[in-house]
Amino acid sequence: MDVIMIRLDKYLADMSVGTRTEVKKLIRQGKVAVDGLIVKNPDVKIDIDTQSVTCNGIAVTYETYEYYMLNKPAGVISATSDSKQKTVLDLIDSKKRKDLFPVGRLDKDTEGLLLITNDGELAHRLLSPKKHVDKLYYARVEGIVDTEDIDAFAKGLDIGEDECTKPAKLVVLKSDAISEIELTIQEGKFHQVKRMFEAVGKKVIYLKRLEMGTLKLDEDLGLGEYRPLTQKEIEKLC
Ligand code: URA
């Protein structure tokens, strides 16, 4: 196994103990111990697998990657920070890393599965159009959704981009004045699901993401709740 050594000030800053300047101050003030001994030099290198670090007597364990599944509620934006609006990261109370981000965007009024991580490689693999990762959505749609729509979605739709959408699988759960559907798409264009229904003259009035690749929304998570991914979920995704 590779030995990973990280400077003490970076170690603490990565784990959101404070900014680089703040943690350097804490270190110089003698608030930080490594393997039980006070260390006042922020440049000291820490072996993240074998050494223990405390700050003000509280253990600070290092996480290289974090992976959270969030059941995003409506009203929260898919961004890392915002001066006015609540972001999906504001909902992750137990986060340690300061470099977490949502993998792809859900609209402010969309609910459901959102992966939050700092694993850029995984995010790239899940979002790259070349990787053809399925995303499953549930939606309620104004108007009767019928077999004509199923065919149109399967063929590809003109949503005002240079190219038509890739074939998408539309399953009608209920066809009525307000229809209920499940839609699997492999792309992630801006407002894609809403624009696909607009292209067939219908309006999405509720949208929720249920799955992304192998990752399925945990039904035990209420809106706004989250949990770390299990080891199995991480392995399957990677
Ligand atoms: N498609 C949309 O229209 N909105 C989302 O939030 C996700 C997919």
mmCIF file of all heavy atoms in Angstrom, residues 72 78 105-111 135 137 183 185 187-196 204 207-209, ligand 1:
data_model
loop_
_atom_site.group_PDB
_atom_site.id
_atom_site.type_symbol
_atom_site.label_atom_id
_atom_site.label_comp_id
_atom_site.label_asym_id
_atom_site.label_seq_id
_atom_site.Cartn_x
_atom_site.Cartn_y
_atom_site.Cartn_z
ATOM 1 N N LYS A 72 -32.242 14.982 -2.073
ATOM 2 C CA LYS A 72 -32.351 16.443 -2.182
ATOM 3 C C LYS A 72 -33.810 16.883 -2.091
ATOM 4 O O LYS A 72 -34.657 16.367 -2.811
ATOM 5 C CB LYS A 72 -31.747 16.906 -3.512
ATOM 6 C CG LYS A 72 -31.841 18.407 -3.726
ATOM 7 C CD LYS A 72 -31.507 18.781 -5.168
ATOM 8 C CE LYS A 72 -31.806 20.238 -5.459
ATOM 9 N NZ LYS A 72 -33.229 20.587 -5.321
ATOM 10 N N SER A 78 -28.154 23.103 -6.245
ATOM 11 C CA SER A 78 -27.036 22.156 -6.414
ATOM 12 C C SER A 78 -25.750 22.936 -6.669
ATOM 13 O O SER A 78 -25.235 22.971 -7.782
ATOM 14 C CB SER A 78 -27.295 21.227 -7.603
ATOM 15 O OG SER A 78 -28.428 20.456 -7.398
ATOM 16 N N ARG A 105 -26.047 18.375 -11.580
ATOM 17 C CA ARG A 105 -26.982 19.311 -10.955
ATOM 18 C C ARG A 105 -28.399 18.808 -11.052
ATOM 19 O O ARG A 105 -28.796 18.263 -12.070
ATOM 20 C CB ARG A 105 -26.929 20.657 -11.686
ATOM 21 C CG ARG A 105 -25.721 21.452 -11.291
ATOM 22 C CD ARG A 105 -25.534 22.660 -12.179
ATOM 23 N NE ARG A 105 -24.251 23.275 -11.842
ATOM 24 C CZ ARG A 105 -24.095 24.189 -10.900
ATOM 25 N NH1 ARG A 105 -25.136 24.633 -10.217
ATOM 26 N NH2 ARG A 105 -22.911 24.679 -10.625
ATOM 27 N N LEU A 106 -29.144 18.999 -9.980
ATOM 28 C CA LEU A 106 -30.595 18.863 -10.049
ATOM 29 C C LEU A 106 -31.153 20.277 -9.935
ATOM 30 O O LEU A 106 -30.602 21.095 -9.184
ATOM 31 C CB LEU A 106 -31.123 17.991 -8.897
ATOM 32 C CG LEU A 106 -30.751 16.503 -8.942
ATOM 33 C CD1 LEU A 106 -31.304 15.773 -7.724
ATOM 34 C CD2 LEU A 106 -31.272 15.841 -10.226
ATOM 35 N N ASP A 107 -32.232 20.560 -10.650
ATOM 36 C CA ASP A 107 -32.838 21.894 -10.566
ATOM 37 C C ASP A 107 -33.280 22.166 -9.136
ATOM 38 O O ASP A 107 -33.497 21.232 -8.352
ATOM 39 C CB ASP A 107 -34.072 21.974 -11.478
ATOM 40 C CG ASP A 107 -33.710 21.767 -12.937
ATOM 41 O OD1 ASP A 107 -32.541 22.012 -13.295
ATOM 42 O OD2 ASP A 107 -34.595 21.355 -13.704
ATOM 43 N N LYS A 108 -33.483 23.442 -8.849
ATOM 44 C CA LYS A 108 -33.883 23.832 -7.487
ATOM 45 C C LYS A 108 -35.173 23.113 -7.060
ATOM 46 O O LYS A 108 -35.329 22.710 -5.914
ATOM 47 C CB LYS A 108 -34.063 25.355 -7.437
ATOM 48 C CG LYS A 108 -34.265 25.895 -6.055
ATOM 49 C CD LYS A 108 -34.230 27.411 -6.051
ATOM 50 C CE LYS A 108 -34.621 27.931 -4.680
ATOM 51 N NZ LYS A 108 -34.679 29.393 -4.633
ATOM 52 N N ASP A 109 -36.086 22.925 -8.015
ATOM 53 C CA ASP A 109 -37.368 22.301 -7.637
ATOM 54 C C ASP A 109 -37.357 20.770 -7.823
ATOM 55 O O ASP A 109 -38.382 20.116 -7.641
ATOM 56 C CB ASP A 109 -38.533 22.930 -8.414
ATOM 57 C CG ASP A 109 -38.380 22.778 -9.930
ATOM 58 O OD1 ASP A 109 -37.331 22.260 -10.386
ATOM 59 O OD2 ASP A 109 -39.298 23.175 -10.663
ATOM 60 N N THR A 110 -36.230 20.192 -8.204
ATOM 61 C CA THR A 110 -36.144 18.729 -8.366
ATOM 62 C C THR A 110 -35.696 18.081 -7.057
ATOM 63 O O THR A 110 -34.846 18.629 -6.354
ATOM 64 C CB THR A 110 -35.145 18.362 -9.492
ATOM 65 O OG1 THR A 110 -35.583 18.961 -10.712
ATOM 66 C CG2 THR A 110 -35.038 16.859 -9.687
ATOM 67 N N GLU A 111 -36.295 16.930 -6.778
ATOM 68 C CA GLU A 111 -35.940 16.190 -5.560
ATOM 69 C C GLU A 111 -35.133 14.937 -5.941
ATOM 70 O O GLU A 111 -35.019 14.570 -7.094
ATOM 71 C CB GLU A 111 -37.217 15.746 -4.832
ATOM 72 C CG GLU A 111 -38.037 16.903 -4.310
ATOM 73 C CD GLU A 111 -39.301 16.433 -3.601
ATOM 74 O OE1 GLU A 111 -39.634 15.230 -3.631
ATOM 75 O OE2 GLU A 111 -39.977 17.294 -3.022
ATOM 76 N N LYS A 135 -29.579 7.458 -15.944
ATOM 77 C CA LYS A 135 -30.171 8.194 -14.819
ATOM 78 C C LYS A 135 -31.672 7.969 -14.896
ATOM 79 O O LYS A 135 -32.282 8.183 -15.955
ATOM 80 C CB LYS A 135 -29.882 9.695 -14.917
ATOM 81 C CG LYS A 135 -28.457 10.062 -14.621
ATOM 82 C CD LYS A 135 -27.920 10.940 -15.703
ATOM 83 C CE LYS A 135 -26.415 10.837 -15.777
ATOM 84 N NZ LYS A 135 -25.914 11.090 -17.117
ATOM 85 N N TYR A 137 -35.462 8.805 -13.630
ATOM 86 C CA TYR A 137 -36.279 9.845 -13.006
ATOM 87 C C TYR A 137 -37.727 9.372 -12.904
ATOM 88 O O TYR A 137 -38.219 8.646 -13.770
ATOM 89 C CB TYR A 137 -36.272 11.124 -13.844
ATOM 90 C CG TYR A 137 -34.936 11.831 -13.860
ATOM 91 C CD1 TYR A 137 -33.975 11.501 -14.820
ATOM 92 C CD2 TYR A 137 -34.626 12.814 -12.933
ATOM 93 C CE1 TYR A 137 -32.744 12.138 -14.837
ATOM 94 C CE2 TYR A 137 -33.403 13.455 -12.945
ATOM 95 C CZ TYR A 137 -32.469 13.117 -13.900
ATOM 96 O OH TYR A 137 -31.249 13.747 -13.926
ATOM 97 N N LEU A 183 -38.533 7.752 -16.458
ATOM 98 C CA LEU A 183 -37.750 8.023 -17.654
ATOM 99 C C LEU A 183 -36.280 7.720 -17.383
ATOM 100 O O LEU A 183 -35.729 8.164 -16.384
ATOM 101 C CB LEU A 183 -37.899 9.505 -18.042
ATOM 102 C CG LEU A 183 -37.087 9.959 -19.261
ATOM 103 C CD1 LEU A 183 -37.564 9.275 -20.535
ATOM 104 C CD2 LEU A 183 -37.183 11.481 -19.433
ATOM 105 N N ILE A 185 -32.582 8.283 -18.919
ATOM 106 C CA ILE A 185 -31.779 8.992 -19.924
ATOM 107 C C ILE A 185 -30.301 8.776 -19.601
ATOM 108 O O ILE A 185 -29.957 8.477 -18.457
ATOM 109 C CB ILE A 185 -32.092 10.514 -19.980
ATOM 110 C CG1 ILE A 185 -31.907 11.181 -18.606
ATOM 111 C CG2 ILE A 185 -33.464 10.763 -20.529
ATOM 112 C CD1 ILE A 185 -32.090 12.695 -18.631
ATOM 113 N N GLU A 187 -28.046 11.157 -20.848
ATOM 114 C CA GLU A 187 -27.410 12.477 -20.939
ATOM 115 C C GLU A 187 -27.775 13.293 -19.704
ATOM 116 O O GLU A 187 -28.537 12.847 -18.867
ATOM 117 C CB GLU A 187 -27.922 13.197 -22.188
ATOM 118 C CG GLU A 187 -27.597 12.466 -23.458
ATOM 119 C CD GLU A 187 -28.496 12.925 -24.582
ATOM 120 O OE1 GLU A 187 -29.707 12.641 -24.544
ATOM 121 O OE2 GLU A 187 -27.980 13.592 -25.479
ATOM 122 N N GLY A 188 -27.235 14.495 -19.643
ATOM 123 C CA GLY A 188 -27.558 15.355 -18.493
ATOM 124 C C GLY A 188 -27.564 16.815 -18.906
ATOM 125 O O GLY A 188 -26.927 17.644 -18.271
ATOM 126 N N LYS A 189 -28.319 17.084 -19.993
ATOM 127 C CA LYS A 189 -28.360 18.475 -20.456
ATOM 128 C C LYS A 189 -29.212 19.316 -19.502
ATOM 129 O O LYS A 189 -30.069 18.777 -18.799
ATOM 130 C CB LYS A 189 -28.947 18.527 -21.869
ATOM 131 C CG LYS A 189 -28.108 17.795 -22.889
ATOM 132 C CD LYS A 189 -28.329 18.329 -24.281
ATOM 133 C CE LYS A 189 -27.287 17.808 -25.220
ATOM 134 N NZ LYS A 189 -27.572 16.438 -25.679
ATOM 135 N N PHE A 190 -28.961 20.604 -19.523
ATOM 136 C CA PHE A 190 -29.679 21.542 -18.656
ATOM 137 C C PHE A 190 -31.204 21.345 -18.797
ATOM 138 O O PHE A 190 -31.733 21.362 -19.912
ATOM 139 C CB PHE A 190 -29.267 22.961 -19.089
ATOM 140 C CG PHE A 190 -29.795 24.054 -18.230
ATOM 141 C CD1 PHE A 190 -29.499 24.102 -16.876
ATOM 142 C CD2 PHE A 190 -30.601 25.046 -18.778
ATOM 143 C CE1 PHE A 190 -29.979 25.131 -16.077
ATOM 144 C CE2 PHE A 190 -31.080 26.075 -17.996
ATOM 145 C CZ PHE A 190 -30.772 26.115 -16.645
ATOM 146 N N HIS A 191 -31.893 21.135 -17.691
ATOM 147 C CA HIS A 191 -33.360 20.949 -17.676
ATOM 148 C C HIS A 191 -33.807 19.851 -18.646
ATOM 149 O O HIS A 191 -34.878 19.956 -19.257
ATOM 150 C CB HIS A 191 -34.101 22.237 -18.069
ATOM 151 C CG HIS A 191 -33.928 23.380 -17.110
ATOM 152 N ND1 HIS A 191 -33.731 23.224 -15.768
ATOM 153 C CD2 HIS A 191 -33.960 24.718 -17.325
ATOM 154 C CE1 HIS A 191 -33.622 24.422 -15.198
ATOM 155 N NE2 HIS A 191 -33.749 25.334 -16.107
ATOM 156 N N GLN A 192 -32.991 18.823 -18.802
ATOM 157 C CA GLN A 192 -33.249 17.893 -19.905
ATOM 158 C C GLN A 192 -34.634 17.241 -19.860
ATOM 159 O O GLN A 192 -35.330 17.191 -20.869
ATOM 160 C CB GLN A 192 -32.179 16.792 -19.953
ATOM 161 C CG GLN A 192 -32.492 15.768 -21.043
ATOM 162 C CD GLN A 192 -31.293 15.180 -21.702
ATOM 163 O OE1 GLN A 192 -30.167 15.613 -21.463
ATOM 164 N NE2 GLN A 192 -31.522 14.206 -22.544
ATOM 165 N N VAL A 193 -35.016 16.720 -18.685
ATOM 166 C CA VAL A 193 -36.298 15.995 -18.624
ATOM 167 C C VAL A 193 -37.455 16.956 -18.920
ATOM 168 O O VAL A 193 -38.357 16.652 -19.714
ATOM 169 C CB VAL A 193 -36.477 15.325 -17.245
ATOM 170 C CG1 VAL A 193 -37.834 14.645 -17.150
ATOM 171 C CG2 VAL A 193 -35.350 14.317 -16.985
ATOM 172 N N LYS A 194 -37.394 18.135 -18.316
ATOM 173 C CA LYS A 194 -38.467 19.121 -18.539
ATOM 174 C C LYS A 194 -38.540 19.512 -20.017
ATOM 175 O O LYS A 194 -39.620 19.625 -20.590
ATOM 176 C CB LYS A 194 -38.221 20.354 -17.675
ATOM 177 C CG LYS A 194 -38.382 20.079 -16.178
ATOM 178 C CD LYS A 194 -37.940 21.265 -15.355
ATOM 179 C CE LYS A 194 -37.966 20.936 -13.881
ATOM 180 N NZ LYS A 194 -37.237 21.913 -13.066
ATOM 181 N N ARG A 195 -37.387 19.700 -20.624
ATOM 182 C CA ARG A 195 -37.365 20.117 -22.041
ATOM 183 C C ARG A 195 -37.817 18.986 -22.962
ATOM 184 O O ARG A 195 -38.418 19.236 -24.013
ATOM 185 C CB ARG A 195 -35.966 20.601 -22.425
ATOM 186 C CG ARG A 195 -35.660 21.963 -21.809
ATOM 187 C CD ARG A 195 -34.186 22.254 -21.801
ATOM 188 N NE ARG A 195 -33.620 22.485 -23.104
ATOM 189 C CZ ARG A 195 -32.319 22.360 -23.377
ATOM 190 N NH1 ARG A 195 -31.479 21.972 -22.438
ATOM 191 N NH2 ARG A 195 -31.865 22.600 -24.581
ATOM 192 N N MET A 196 -37.559 17.752 -22.570
ATOM 193 C CA MET A 196 -38.016 16.629 -23.410
ATOM 194 C C MET A 196 -39.546 16.587 -23.406
ATOM 195 O O MET A 196 -40.178 16.379 -24.442
ATOM 196 C CB MET A 196 -37.431 15.307 -22.905
ATOM 197 C CG MET A 196 -35.936 15.174 -23.195
ATOM 198 S SD MET A 196 -35.195 13.712 -22.457
ATOM 199 C CE MET A 196 -35.508 12.479 -23.724
ATOM 200 N N VAL A 204 -43.735 19.090 -17.066
ATOM 201 C CA VAL A 204 -43.364 18.341 -15.850
ATOM 202 C C VAL A 204 -43.741 19.194 -14.645
ATOM 203 O O VAL A 204 -43.318 20.350 -14.538
ATOM 204 C CB VAL A 204 -41.844 18.053 -15.832
ATOM 205 C CG1 VAL A 204 -41.407 17.476 -14.485
ATOM 206 C CG2 VAL A 204 -41.464 17.105 -16.961
ATOM 207 N N LEU A 207 -40.583 16.407 -10.275
ATOM 208 C CA LEU A 207 -39.476 15.589 -10.799
ATOM 209 C C LEU A 207 -38.587 15.117 -9.656
ATOM 210 O O LEU A 207 -38.233 15.895 -8.766
ATOM 211 C CB LEU A 207 -38.653 16.426 -11.796
ATOM 212 C CG LEU A 207 -37.520 15.711 -12.538
ATOM 213 C CD1 LEU A 207 -38.047 14.546 -13.363
ATOM 214 C CD2 LEU A 207 -36.781 16.696 -13.468
ATOM 215 N N LYS A 208 -38.273 13.826 -9.721
ATOM 216 C CA LYS A 208 -37.414 13.244 -8.687
ATOM 217 C C LYS A 208 -36.447 12.268 -9.340
ATOM 218 O O LYS A 208 -36.864 11.451 -10.174
ATOM 219 C CB LYS A 208 -38.315 12.480 -7.704
ATOM 220 C CG LYS A 208 -37.579 11.768 -6.593
ATOM 221 C CD LYS A 208 -38.569 11.117 -5.643
ATOM 222 C CE LYS A 208 -37.855 10.586 -4.421
ATOM 223 N NZ LYS A 208 -38.784 10.110 -3.414
ATOM 224 N N ARG A 209 -35.159 12.341 -8.967
ATOM 225 C CA ARG A 209 -34.213 11.357 -9.499
ATOM 226 C C ARG A 209 -34.164 10.170 -8.551
ATOM 227 O O ARG A 209 -34.052 10.337 -7.330
ATOM 228 C CB ARG A 209 -32.824 11.950 -9.667
ATOM 229 C CG ARG A 209 -31.872 10.925 -10.294
ATOM 230 C CD ARG A 209 -30.705 11.526 -11.008
ATOM 231 N NE ARG A 209 -29.859 12.259 -10.097
ATOM 232 C CZ ARG A 209 -28.923 13.113 -10.497
ATOM 233 N NH1 ARG A 209 -28.748 13.352 -11.778
ATOM 234 N NH2 ARG A 209 -28.173 13.743 -9.631
HETATM 235 N N1 URA B 1 -33.873 17.142 -15.884
HETATM 236 C C1 URA B 1 -34.485 18.287 -15.507
HETATM 237 O O1 URA B 1 -35.259 18.866 -16.253
HETATM 238 N N2 URA B 1 -34.230 18.747 -14.274
HETATM 239 C C2 URA B 1 -33.420 18.132 -13.389
HETATM 240 O O2 URA B 1 -33.244 18.609 -12.270
HETATM 241 C C3 URA B 1 -32.792 16.946 -13.807
HETATM 242 C C4 URA B 1 -33.029 16.469 -15.061
#
